[in-house]
Amino acid sequence: WSNDRKSSCTGGYLYRHSFSNNNFLMLTRALKQAACRLFFFVIGTSVASAGSISVNPMRLTLSDSNQLGTVTLLNNGSNPIPMQLQIMSWSQSEGSDILTATREILANPPIFNIPAGGSQIIRLGLRRASDAQRELTYRIILQELPSPVKSDISGAQMLMRISMPVFVLPEVDAKAVLIWQADYTSKGTLKISAFNSGNAHIRISNFKLSLPGSSETLLKQEAGDYILAGQSKEWILSANADYASPPAGDTLQLLAQTNTGDIEAKVVIAP
């Protein structure tokens, strides 16, 4: 794959990337083998468009008492779109996402074709018990498949890849608890970090920093980042030309917008 582009989309990720026609035969052969093993077949042979797909909902929450879920895909384009899906276990390390294939959630169908103007329902089922203490996290990966290309057409197809989260509640109450820190890097830029000491995820849409008692915003960061339980995230902030950088030892007032509501915290810049 090449030329990947990613954008945040209400908790999910939408990617577009190009697929060379030279790779089509190899992938088609692999998909046919996979389909036979799974007793499923790729439906439809029309040229697919990397058009608009609506996904509802954009995230799922399962539990021991709610082990089933559905996702509806709507093809708003004028061409059918062949797709396949995978369920991945989702963890984080040093602020980066790690995805690993898993069978702990069953998803059906794994390969399908969405007709133009039509829809497809994906059904999911939890195949394991929830964790006693901590939220479990997964991602549904929806990948558009390349379509046969006419011989008189050259170039690359633009394919969609959608990633959406699935959360499995623990047996105990689930809550994210953030611990904020601030210090300067060796290059003199301000670094803000947040560690989630809770047992559930949190998604930070944005945050801003100001001096205590002041309504003037020193720095603002657009985020859209998830921090899973027991993980952390760092942001390197660009200086605001209108304000001098506060010295080490100063206290900053932080206001963050998250999926659980606004969070206010006082953060001391480490010396």
Side-chain angles (χ1 to χ4, degrees):
W1 305 109
S2 61
N3 300 331
D4 281 13
R5 290 184 293 173
K6 163 184 162 184
S7 63
S8 176
C9 183
T10 320
Y13 299 133
L14 170 63
Y15 302 78
R16 289 183 183 272
H17 50 264
S18 61
F19 181 84
S20 172
N21 296 341
N22 296 333
N23 299 116
F24 175 74
L25 182 60
M26 183 181 300
L27 182 57
T28 300
R29 188 176 297 124
L31 287 175
K32 286 181 178 179
Q33 293 172 353
C36 289
R37 287 194 298 268
L38 294 169
F39 299 99
F40 282 87
F41 299 90
V42 179
I43 304 173
T45 57
S46 300
V47 175
S49 163
S52 176
I53 287 185
S54 300
V55 183
N56 184 43
M58 275 304 299
R59 65 172 65 87
L60 279 178
T61 300
L62 304 177
S63 65
D64 281 342
S65 61
N66 181 32
Q67 297 183 335
L68 303 177
T70 60
V71 176
T72 301
L73 307 178
L74 176 63
N75 180 2
N76 299 305
S78 57
N79 292 310
I81 301 179
M83 302 196 79
Q84 69 175 352
L85 71 85
Q86 285 182 292
I87 302 296
M88 310 294 283
S89 176
W90 174 28
S91 60
Q92 292 178 332
S93 177
E94 299 181 352
S96 297
D97 291 337
I98 299 174
L99 300 179
T100 307
T102 182
R103 295 179 59 84
E104 294 181 347
I105 293 180
L106 179 66
N108 187 51
I111 301 175
F112 51 89
N113 191 73
I114 312 176
S119 62
Q120 174 68 51
I121 296 177
I122 299 170
R123 292 176 170 83
L124 300 100
L126 182 62
R127 302 180 68 184
R128 60 155 293 173
S130 62
D131 189 88
Q133 299 295 327
R134 179 174 290 191
E135 175 184 70
L136 301 175
T137 49
Y138 305 87
R139 277 196 171 269
I140 302 172
I141 307 298
L142 297 164
Q143 174 68 62
E144 181 183 6
L145 299 176
S147 297
V149 180
K150 296 180 180 179
S151 59
D152 59 341
I153 298 178
S154 61
Q157 300 181 56
M158 298 301 294
L159 304 176
M160 287 183 293
R161 183 174 185 265
I162 300 170
S163 174
M164 56 177 291
V166 179
F167 304 105
V168 179
L169 298 177
E171 296 177 10
V172 298
D173 290 340
K175 183 180 180 180
V177 179
L178 292 183
I179 301 173
W180 296 88
Q181 293 181 318
D183 59 6
Y184 282 105
T185 68
S186 59
K187 296 182 179 180
T189 53
L190 185 62
K191 179 178 70 176
I192 300 295
S193 61
F195 172 69
N196 183 1
S197 64
N199 66 346
H201 75 279
I202 191 168
R203 184 174 187 267
I204 300 175
S205 300
N206 60 70
F207 63 85
K208 60 182 180 180
L209 299 169
S210 60
L211 295 175
S214 172
S215 60
E216 298 288 346
T217 299
L218 294 177
L219 296 167
K220 185 174 182 179
Q221 176 72 30
E222 298 293 334
D225 296 310
Y226 279 99
I227 308 178
L228 303 184
Q231 297 300 315
S232 61
K233 181 70 179 178
E234 296 180 349
W235 299 270
I236 305 298
L237 305 184
S238 301
N240 189 330
D242 296 330
Y243 302 98
S245 298
D250 270 19
T251 298
L252 299 175
Q253 182 71 31
L254 181 144
L255 175 62
Q257 292 184 327
T258 78
N259 62 304
T260 61
D262 291 350
I263 294 177
E264 293 188 41
K266 287 184 170 58
V267 186
V268 178
I269 304 175

